[in-house]
Amino acid sequence: MLRPPIGHAEEGELYAVALTPDGRRAFAAGITGFQWDRSVSIYLFDVATQRMLGRLGGLPAPVNHLAVSADGTRLAAALGGQAGVRLFDASTGRLLAEDSGYRGPVRMVAFAADGRFFTTAADGLVRSYAADGRKIGEAAPRERARPYGLAVSPDGALVAIGYETMAAVDVVAANGLRRVFSPDVTGVPAAALPAVAWAADRRGGVQLHAAGFGAQGGVIRRWLDFGLGPSRDILASRDSIAQLLPLPRAGGVAYVAADPGWGLLGPDGTILRAPQPPAADPRAARGALAVSADGRVVEWPGAAKRLRFELSGFGLVPATGEGVTPASVSGPGLALTDWRDSAQPKLNGQRLPLGTGEIARSAAVAGDRVLLGTDTHLRLFDRRGRQLAEAPATGAVWALALAPQAGAAVAALGDGTLRWFDIDGERPLAERGALYVHADGVRWALFTPEGFFDHAEGGGQELVGVHLNRRAAEQPDWASFAQAYRALYAPAVVRARLGGDPAGARRRLAELGDIRAVIARQPRVTLTGFCIPDTAGDCLIHPPEAALPHGTSRIRMGLKLEDRGLGLGPVDVFLNGRNVGRVDPGGLAEIGIDIALDPGANALQARAWDAAGRLFAETPVMRLEAVGVEDAAARLFVMAVGVDRYRNPQLALRFAVADAVTVAQTLQDGAAGLFSATEVTLLTDEAATRDGILAALERLSREIGPQDTFLLYLAGHGVKTEPDERFLFLPQDVEDASSWEALRRQGLSDEVLVGALSRIRARNGFLLMDTCYAGQVAVDALASVGNETGRYLLTASTSLQEALDSYDDRNGVFAVAVREALTGRAGRDERGIITALALGEYVSRRVGVLAREKGHAQDAVFRTAQRDLRGFPVARIAP
């Protein structure tokens, strides 16, 4: 992920990107740097490290398009306004040539293989330039038309031109720019064809492509024989297609659409990949966004179905339409007119003031006030049309709904978020928080302006994060919520904040200190390379881009660590989403970590923690393919721990041992016929000491292979330490419970657990935490164990809830729910297989029902840390 600096309003919007031919460097620009220098910059990135290397500054207008020459030596920039085109040395940034003789924005620029380049502009002209930047020709292919798209044919003899004002394409000669022919556009279902590209089919043929937008969505017309042959139309996206790029090796084209997303069209014209928007189209929420009076329930159209989010419940649930209301755009004595997609909205016939070029998109009447959403702002007006408050928006405000009891409004924005805003009180239009739901309808993140967050059972912590600018020419600092999990994961704080109570967020922020300053000083970790260790102790250097030798099962990852003021903590290596090794760097700036690979695809990423364990930096994901490595038969390993008789009698419990026995036996029974073997390690009471638990985990780390499945169940006391809010499991040999310091010495901390679990190689792992201690264990303290191991996590109680000791005088509700799930109550496939996902989903909902039957308030919580959810088998029900 390449991250340029961003700022207020449009600052940081990217309109243009370009790669060098070797793929090692990337250029990006748009409205970039103007906030700092009152001029525009082009940012340069190293693709492998994903770090910003520098910038080319001083440009007088936004950059609309960028192109790099075929030999990688020169960079051309198409500028907005009448600033024209610039040519730079791509290595040094030195300005080589410029042409400011334009009477409109430059739309695109394209190089021929011999170094010549061409531009299109809104002044109606196409221009050609020699390799040194001298203009050698200009022409207007069509009268009263605005050329937009631009593509040079593979042999460099022809240039295709698309238009932003009409459904037409012209092909002109590269020498002289005279029109050669115009491909047939009869019946094309598009109002304009601004994007064009030539593409080879790997059989010696060349096709011409043009794309635009019509009533049915984004369409690509594809002509055979350089554009002279027959054509066909391909509906390729739901929104307009802005650009096409040829794929020289594979054939066909890549295309980018305003869905938003990108797609691939094969050399035969078939869609190989359709655009995959990360969220639902916010425009679909117009007139369909609805919220409850207290602001705690909201419904809106998702990517596949209507969605409902409940702040007080399980989050994302099926929509019912109950208790939610859409916004009204009228009220007593208030006539709002001409507001939809208009620059001149009126209230009672009086025009409401907007900014230059600002267009209204949504509206809502709140008592005797009017809330207007535009493509750049939220604006609150009184009944006389006077503006009471304004707030810049992070995207066009496509829909609004009101929660009068909460004094709040909910807005659906163009960035894919729903955001809650105050409309009453001392700070009207101050943001309370936001919800981002992924297009899959499963993952979501709920977050506040301070940076605190909650996420879905199915994940979402990797979708959003905190961005901090540094100096104008430096790489910004970024920490996803997954990276700052320990510091910022605070579900209760987030939900209170969106409900209108900011006190918890203020307290948590005061406890943390300046978290932004912490993020700005996070460690750096850089991949220095790979090598393949051999039996002689040597390590053969392996280029990351090269294929691994057949049969390679182990590789060494080299890492460089940089302390930027917070100290260096442990380093974790994640393989295919799970932690496979926690290493103490011991003060070394460079380390090597050996990793046993999975058969087939391997995605590797390293995390470097700060000394306090608050957040980590991470490397880009590296992908390797292990060929000729085979798995052994899959086995199930269960480790169940239960403690009733503590050495300190004041800690005694009644049913933890029974629960451990029940869960272990149920898992063993359910595994019959599903795994090649099942091994259960049961540690109860005197066997469940600190040393005993760690010794068992160490033994299992030597026995368990990557093909196996591992489930850990802990039943006993768990505590959340103060003031650092870390999780401790109390083993049987705890004697002194008089202070946090004493408990830390005797307990199993989350850090120790993560270290031990990182040595368990099992590809599939599940942690079941049935712990209680007078309600002191909050899910936000325990969930970090799942996040740092990459394992599914199922906990027995949520924040401020005490886990119920017994349900039926034999087991607690958590163990009962697990037993029910694995004996047929959880969802299963046609073969009778129950997956880890089905187990987690069933137990997380069933525990609350069972607890309420006994007049108790308790909910289990299911959390996932992996980005790609895999519902691996845990039990099978015989038919």
Side-chain angles (χ1 to χ4, degrees):
M1 183 72 71
L2 307 182
R3 297 192 179 277
I6 60 175
H8 299 297
E10 301 99 346
E11 176 59 51
E13 290 185 1
L14 298 180
Y15 304 151
V17 292
L19 280 172
T20 55
D22 59 12
R24 294 182 178 180
R25 289 178 296 157
F27 300 91
I31 301 180
T32 41
F34 191 82
Q35 180 175 308
W36 296 279
D37 299 334
R38 313 310 294 177
S39 64
V40 173
S41 297
I42 300 171
Y43 298 129
L44 171 63
F45 294 88
D46 180 275
V47 173
T49 63
Q50 300 181 10
R51 300 206 60 80
M52 183 172 159
L53 301 177
R55 63 173 184 157
L56 307 177
L59 298 176
V63 178
N64 292 331
H65 193 239
L66 292 168
V68 179
S69 62
D71 61 5
T73 62
R74 284 165 302 130
L75 170 72
L79 306 182
Q82 297 183 6
V85 66
R86 301 288 191 275
L87 183 68
F88 299 93
D89 184 305
S91 298
T92 66
R94 181 171 62 91
L95 181 65
L96 301 176
E98 63 179 302
D99 181 2
S100 301
Y102 284 72
R103 298 184 298 278
V106 184
R107 296 305 192 195
M108 291 190 72
V109 57
F111 280 95
D114 61 5
R116 292 173 298 162
F117 63 97
F118 305 83
T119 65
T120 55
D123 61 9
L125 297 180
V126 177
R127 295 167 172 85
S128 62
Y129 296 84
D132 61 5
R134 294 177 295 106
K135 187 172 73 174
I136 55 178
E138 65 179 31
R142 286 180 182 252
E143 294 184 2
R144 296 182 297 277
R146 292 206 296 268
Y148 194 98
L150 181 68
V152 182
S153 64
D155 61 5
L158 302 173
V159 178
I161 309 295
Y163 296 89
E164 61 181 306
T165 51
M166 61 180 63
V169 175
D170 289 318
V171 176
V172 303
N175 293 326
L177 302 179
R178 60 178 179 80
R179 189 189 306 185
V180 178
F181 68 94
S182 298
D184 182 15
V185 295
T186 303
V188 65
L193 294 171
V196 291
W198 308 87
D201 62 5
R202 293 185 298 179
R203 295 193 302 269
V206 174
Q207 297 81 42
L208 179 62
H209 300 72
F213 182 66
Q216 295 178 290
V219 62
I220 299 174
R221 174 159 286 195
R222 177 178 179 270
W223 294 271
L224 299 178
D225 194 18
F226 279 84
L228 294 170
S231 66
R232 72 182 182 98
D233 295 327
I234 304 151
L235 291 175
S237 64
R238 70 184 186 187
D239 210 330
S240 58
I241 296 173
Q243 190 173 1
L244 301 167
L245 287 174
L247 301 173
R249 292 183 181 177
V253 296
Y255 60 96
V256 62
D259 288 20
W262 59 274
L264 296 175
L265 197 68
D268 60 353
T270 59
I271 296 177
L272 302 180
R273 183 190 192 275
Q276 300 171 11
D281 187 347
R283 292 168 293 187
R286 304 181 85 174
L289 177 67
V291 66
S292 62
D294 62 3
R296 303 192 72 82
V297 180
V298 62
E299 288 194 1
W300 75 105
K305 60 183 179 180
R306 190 166 176 84
L307 302 176
R308 180 181 178 97
F309 193 89
E310 298 179 353
L311 288 176
S312 304
F314 287 107
L316 211 58
V317 296
T320 65
E322 297 177 1
V324 293
T325 307
S328 173
V329 292
S330 64
L334 296 174
L336 186 63
T337 58
D338 300 334
W339 60 269
R340 191 179 179 98
D341 300 326
S342 167
Q344 300 181 4
K346 298 181 179 65
L347 179 60
N348 296 332
Q350 178 181 342
R351 182 175 173 181
L352 296 175
L354 300 181
T356 302
E358 192 175 356
I359 298 174
R361 303 295 186 185
S362 57
V365 171
D368 62 350
R369 297 168 298 170
V370 169
L371 184 63
L372 200 66
T374 76
D375 49 6
T376 58
H377 283 77
L378 267 179
R379 299 186 183 276
L380 186 64
F381 299 93
D382 67 14
R383 62 184 309 110
R384 287 182 287 181
R386 295 182 302 182
Q387 182 170 290
L388 302 175
E390 69 174 48
T394 53
V397 185
W398 290 108
L400 289 166
L402 300 175
Q405 293 178 9
V410 177
L413 302 186
D415 63 359
T417 61
L418 298 181
R419 295 185 185 250
W420 280 251
F421 293 89
D422 285 321
I423 54 173
D424 294 327
E426 297 180 359
R427 298 181 59 211
L429 301 188
E431 184 183 336
R432 294 183 181 181
L435 170 67
Y436 179 78
V437 178
H438 193 271
D440 60 18
V442 174
R443 291 176 291 165
W444 53 262
L446 192 69
F447 52 99
T448 72
E450 297 84 5
F452 301 119
F453 76 98
D454 188 11
H455 66 88
E457 291 180 353
Q461 61 268 43
E462 78 285 355
L463 299 174
V464 188
V466 180
H467 173 108
L468 298 174
N469 289 330
R470 296 178 71 84
R471 288 179 292 192
E474 291 187 16
Q475 171 79 21
D477 287 301
W478 165 263
S480 70
F481 287 159
Q483 291 173 253
Y485 205 95
R486 285 191 177 275
L488 299 179
Y489 181 65
V493 167
V494 173
R495 291 166 190 262
R497 181 77 166 88
L498 268 75
D501 180 8
R506 290 171 183 161
R507 284 195 302 271
R508 184 73 179 264
L509 204 59
E511 293 168 359
L512 287 173
D514 189 352
I515 188 63
R516 294 175 180 268
V518 172
I519 291 173
R521 292 184 292 150
Q522 63 182 293
R524 282 192 181 137
V525 55
T526 306
L527 176 71
T528 58
F530 291 111
C531 66
I532 301 173
D534 60 21
T535 56
D538 297 324
C539 203
L540 179 66
I541 299 298
H542 174 74
E545 66 276 5
L548 288 173
H550 189 275
T552 301
S553 62
R554 183 173 292 273
I555 198 161
R556 183 172 299 161
M557 173 186 277
L559 299 171
K560 179 180 179 181
L561 307 174
E562 180 184 347
D563 178 7
R564 297 201 295 161
L566 301 178
L568 294 175
V571 176
D572 292 329
V573 174
F574 275 67
L575 172 68
N576 291 332
R578 70 186 190 276
N579 193 335
V580 294
R582 170 161 283 191
V583 176
D584 181 358
L588 297 176
E590 295 197 25
I591 60 173
I593 303 177
D594 284 9
I595 302 142
L597 299 174
D598 289 345
N602 288 265
L604 285 162
Q605 187 174 43
R607 298 176 175 179
W609 288 88
D610 71 318
R614 287 170 293 185
L615 78 164
F616 60 81
E618 59 187 2
T619 64
V621 176
M622 299 298 299
R623 302 188 184 278
L624 301 171
E625 191 79 15
V627 180
V629 180
E630 296 184 0
D631 272 337
R635 300 166 295 174
L636 174 66
F637 288 81
V638 177
M639 178 172 167
V641 177
V643 185
D644 285 339
R645 296 194 303 269
Y646 279 88
R647 194 171 293 179
N648 183 334
Q650 294 181 340
L651 300 176
L653 293 171
R654 296 176 59 205
F655 298 100
V657 170
D659 287 347
V661 171
T662 294
V663 170
Q665 187 63 54
T666 305
L667 285 166
Q668 186 172 28
D669 293 345
L674 186 57
F675 298 92
S676 64
T678 300
E679 178 184 314
V680 174
T681 300
L682 181 64
L683 301 179
T684 61
D685 287 340
E686 287 76 10
T689 63
R690 187 179 193 278
D691 289 345
I693 293 171
L694 291 177
L697 288 170
E698 178 61 29
R699 175 181 62 81
L700 289 171
S701 73
R702 296 190 297 270
E703 297 179 8
I704 296 175
Q707 76 280 0
D708 297 323
T709 295
F710 172 67
L711 288 92
L712 173 66
Y713 174 80
L714 297 180
H717 283 304
V719 300
K720 181 178 70 173
T721 62
E722 296 178 4
D724 53 348
E725 298 189 338
R726 305 295 288 259
F727 171 72
L728 280 178
F729 179 74
L730 302 189
Q732 187 274 340
D733 51 340
V734 169
E735 291 185 280
D736 183 359
S738 62
S739 68
W740 293 120
E741 289 73 17
L743 288 175
R744 288 189 187 97
R745 288 194 302 270
Q746 304 164 91
L748 281 170
S749 68
D750 51 15
E751 186 174 6
V752 170
L753 281 172
V754 169
L757 292 170
S758 72
R759 292 188 286 275
I760 302 290
R761 294 180 56 203
R763 195 169 301 132
N764 302 322
F766 204 138
L767 312 178
L768 299 96
M769 303 293 193
D770 194 357
T771 58
C772 64
Y773 188 79
Q776 292 301 306
V777 177
V779 67
D780 47 336
L782 191 53
S784 58
V785 177
N787 188 62
E788 292 171 28
T789 60
R791 305 299 192 181
Y792 292 167
L793 175 74
L794 186 58
T795 69
S797 61
T798 59
S799 303
L800 306 180
Q801 294 180 340
E802 180 180 357
L804 185 61
D805 197 19
S806 171
Y807 174 74
D808 56 5
D809 288 329
R810 291 177 296 174
N811 291 115
V813 293
F814 187 81
V816 169
V818 171
R819 184 180 66 207
E820 288 183 353
L822 296 176
T823 54
R825 297 287 292 274
R828 57 188 187 271
D829 65 15
E830 66 279 358
R831 298 170 296 167
I833 290 177
I834 298 171
T835 68
L837 287 174
L839 171 63
E841 290 168 358
Y842 178 84
V843 174
S844 65
R845 285 155 177 78
R846 182 61 172 162
V847 163
V849 175
L850 294 173
R852 284 189 289 276
E853 290 179 4
K854 299 298 183 180
H856 189 79
Q858 179 184 343
D859 291 309
V861 176
F862 180 45
R863 286 288 183 264
T864 64
Q866 296 185 359
R867 298 180 184 181
D868 299 322
L869 300 183
R870 295 180 298 105
F872 55 86
V874 293
R876 182 163 63 187
I877 305 299

